[in-house]
Amino acid sequence: MSPRAYKALLASLLAAAGLCAGLAACAPLIGGSSSHTTPLTGIHKIQHVVVIMLENRSFDEYFGTYPGADGPSRKNGVFTACLPDPRAGQCQRPYHDPANENGGGRHNWHAFHNDLNHGKMNGFVVEAETADRGCGAVQDPICKSWGPVDVMGYKDGRELPNYWAYARNFVLQDHMFAPVSSWSLPTHLYMVSAWSAKCSKWNMSMSCTNDPILPPPQAFATWRKGRANFAWTDITYLLARHHVSWKYYADPGTPFHWNILPYFTDVHRDKQLGNIQALFHYFSDTRQGILPQVSWVEPPPVDNDHPPSRVSAAQRFVTVAINAVMHSPDWDSTAIFLAWDDWGGFYDHVKPVPVDANGYGFRVPALVISPYAKKGYIDHQTLSFDAYLKFIENDFLHGQRLDPKTDGRPDRRPDIRENAPILGDLGKDFDFNQKPRPPLLLPIDPKTDLRGGTT
């Protein structure tokens, strides 16, 4: 038996005993990391995937003016798009907005279709100016903007120096669409399960039916015994079956629509609730070089870029989180996927491409940061968060999909999102033949042109 096979066997025994979960997590107990036992090739050089998920920004707002990216068109230096603005009695064009605090607009399923306006992509200002009815809180997606209507504003490298530095040195994806035309809860459900549904019977996956809307009252109505009823299959079910280690880092006070894995039936049945940990564990794990093979990082609300939280605070959190990996012994075998979960009501000029009845949503900013990422590459493939699952499945699960016909846990999902013909392949963002590139450590409080709020 080879050393790698021996360590894999020992890790599976330790995992079965509940002492750790998978080869990467068991490495401290068996001596060494899985990424250094035998030479790895291709995608398998990535032994740690880290997904950092922020909130509520459109691609045009953050990268629409990035050189080479698909941004709003101009003629003689003037943006050609000019959206109806009933309040002002004229139209409104994109404008440079250095504000540190933004309002954005409503961002639920109905707001998406109003912004889309039958494919005209011109309803963003009208929707943001629409009076609220029954708005409960600023983070409720039925709320209109906090403060002035600013959905046509955009930022660039002056306000976002670290994000733009990551784009220059790694990979920027300019056709990353939110996986569903709705708000944070359905989007986060897609992030880990490639589906959004409601379940009529407790813990019964076949009772779950398609629902891309999940408005907060309905979502909260699914609670029982202190948790929601997400009974269909998520990716952790397959990770557990393949002895792949994972963690979901989110502080205990994180609202449930951003911290969804504690409410999935299979997480409870697999006895993996302990893999959902507070953020300080992420920084401890990176420092010790014991990152699990798959990680999700959910910033606290004050740092997650959801309006009206400060842009500078989110940029600082992201930089600290990425610097932590870059300082870590795991850097040479890590891929970081950084994205924003939905458009937050902000303008984007690209009409989402059809994939199925649920999505896609509007484009969101997205970056790939890795020692194997192509330098300064702009990925124009059609992507969504389903591509993250596809990458994880190809890397760690021998291509196994969340497919109820083959994964051993039937549910009624309408399609296998990872197999959608239009979905791109994240593997194209990497050059696995290149020597791993050194870290790009950035200042956590860079000089910016952001105005308002404190940095």
Side-chain angles (χ1 to χ4, degrees):
M1 181 180 291
S2 70
R4 179 175 175 80
Y6 172 76
K7 288 188 175 183
L9 175 61
L10 184 55
S12 66
L13 294 173
L14 290 168
L19 298 176
C20 54
L23 187 51
C26 296
L29 300 180
I30 62 181
S33 166
S34 62
S35 61
H36 302 294
T37 53
T38 59
L40 300 172
T41 60
I43 190 175
H44 304 301
K45 290 185 176 181
I46 301 301
Q47 287 294 293
H48 308 279
V49 170
V50 179
V51 179
I52 302 175
M53 190 56 60
L54 298 174
E55 294 291 318
N56 291 44
R57 304 287 172 168
S58 73
F59 183 87
D60 276 350
E61 187 199 4
Y62 272 14
F63 288 102
T65 60
Y66 187 87
D70 183 358
S73 62
R74 304 190 203 199
K75 185 175 182 180
N76 299 323
V78 178
F79 288 104
T80 57
C82 198
L83 275 61
D85 182 348
R87 187 177 294 173
Q90 59 188 23
C91 65
Q92 186 177 144
R93 301 182 191 276
Y95 64 93
H96 180 236
D97 177 15
N100 198 10
E101 297 174 340
N102 292 118
R106 295 194 278 194
H107 48 280
N108 59 6
W109 186 87
H110 298 286
F112 169 87
H113 289 281
N114 291 338
D115 287 353
L116 183 68
N117 194 17
H118 306 286
K120 297 177 183 178
M121 302 298 289
N122 67 356
F124 295 82
V125 177
V126 173
E127 177 63 19
E129 291 179 350
T130 301
D132 289 323
R133 289 179 175 85
C135 177
V138 129
Q139 292 175 345
D140 188 325
I142 71 168
C143 297
K144 75 175 181 70
S145 61
W146 168 91
V149 172
D150 55 7
V151 297
M152 297 300 291
Y154 69 86
K155 305 184 192 305
D156 57 30
R158 291 169 288 182
E159 292 77 40
L160 310 172
N162 286 7
Y163 298 153
W164 280 47
Y166 292 135
R168 287 192 301 270
N169 287 277
F170 299 102
V171 176
L172 173 67
Q173 298 160 326
D174 69 352
H175 284 82
M176 173 64 79
F177 295 90
V180 63
S181 52
S182 195
W183 66 293
S184 289
L185 176 57
T187 299
H188 278 69
L189 294 173
Y190 263 93
M191 180 182 71
V192 299
S193 75
W195 194 27
S196 172
K198 59 183 177 183
C199 307
S200 61
K201 295 183 180 179
W202 190 248
N203 285 346
M204 293 186 62
S205 61
M206 292 299 287
S207 77
C208 304
T209 55
N210 190 63
D211 192 336
I213 302 176
L214 290 178
Q218 180 180 356
F220 284 103
T222 65
W223 282 62
R224 174 183 167 190
K225 296 181 180 179
R227 67 182 180 93
N229 182 23
F230 302 148
W232 66 95
T233 308
D234 71 82
I235 191 65
T236 70
Y237 170 81
L238 292 178
L239 297 179
R241 293 300 176 272
H242 288 258
H243 306 292
V244 176
S245 59
W246 66 269
K247 287 187 180 181
Y248 194 94
Y249 299 99
D251 284 339
T254 301
F256 102 103
H257 52 278
W258 297 330
N259 183 17
I260 38 75
L261 276 178
Y263 310 106
F264 271 91
T265 295
D266 50 18
V267 174
H268 288 259
R269 288 181 175 172
D270 291 337
K271 303 185 186 306
Q272 294 197 316
L273 266 180
N275 293 359
I276 301 160
Q277 299 183 354
L279 279 166
F280 79 85
H281 287 284
Y282 168 77
F283 295 102
S284 174
D285 290 349
T286 53
R287 185 171 60 253
Q288 296 178 66
I290 56 171
L291 270 177
Q293 289 158 288
V294 179
S295 304
W296 293 272
V297 177
E298 287 289 335
V302 70
D303 294 325
N304 71 5
D305 225 7
H306 190 298
S309 62
R310 298 189 306 275
V311 173
S312 59
Q315 187 168 219
R316 186 181 199 275
F317 176 91
V318 167
T319 305
V320 170
I322 292 175
N323 282 354
V325 177
M326 291 182 171
H327 274 298
S328 169
D330 292 327
W331 164 246
D332 280 354
S333 57
T334 297
I336 302 169
F337 299 139
L338 171 65
W340 284 250
D341 74 337
D342 66 54
W343 84 112
F346 292 100
Y347 174 68
D348 194 81
H349 79 284
V350 175
K351 180 182 175 181
V353 295
V355 58
D356 59 19
N358 287 3
Y360 295 133
F362 294 121
R363 293 188 309 168
V364 293
L367 296 148
V368 176
I369 300 159
S370 171
Y372 293 103
K374 296 176 180 177
K375 184 173 182 178
Y377 180 66
I378 300 179
D379 184 351
H380 301 299
Q381 297 181 96
T382 297
L383 299 167
S384 79
F385 301 167
D386 308 317
Y388 297 159
L389 295 175
K390 181 178 177 179
F391 187 93
I392 291 166
E393 292 161 352
N394 289 347
D395 191 3
F396 301 115
L397 305 179
H398 311 292
Q400 170 72 59
R401 302 291 185 236
L402 281 166
D403 183 343
K405 293 181 180 179
T406 62
D407 63 20
R409 194 171 186 274
D411 59 36
R412 298 185 184 277
R413 65 186 62 218
D415 52 9
I416 312 306
R417 270 295 192 88
E418 304 96 299
N419 290 338
I422 63 172
L423 183 66
D425 180 2
L426 291 181
K428 295 181 179 179
D429 292 344
F430 299 84
D431 180 358
F432 293 115
N433 294 318
Q434 73 183 15
K435 181 180 179 181
R437 293 197 281 122
L440 176 71
L441 297 168
L442 298 178
I444 63 174
D445 289 310
K447 182 179 179 181
T448 75
D449 285 354
L450 288 166
R451 301 176 186 172
T454 57
T455 57

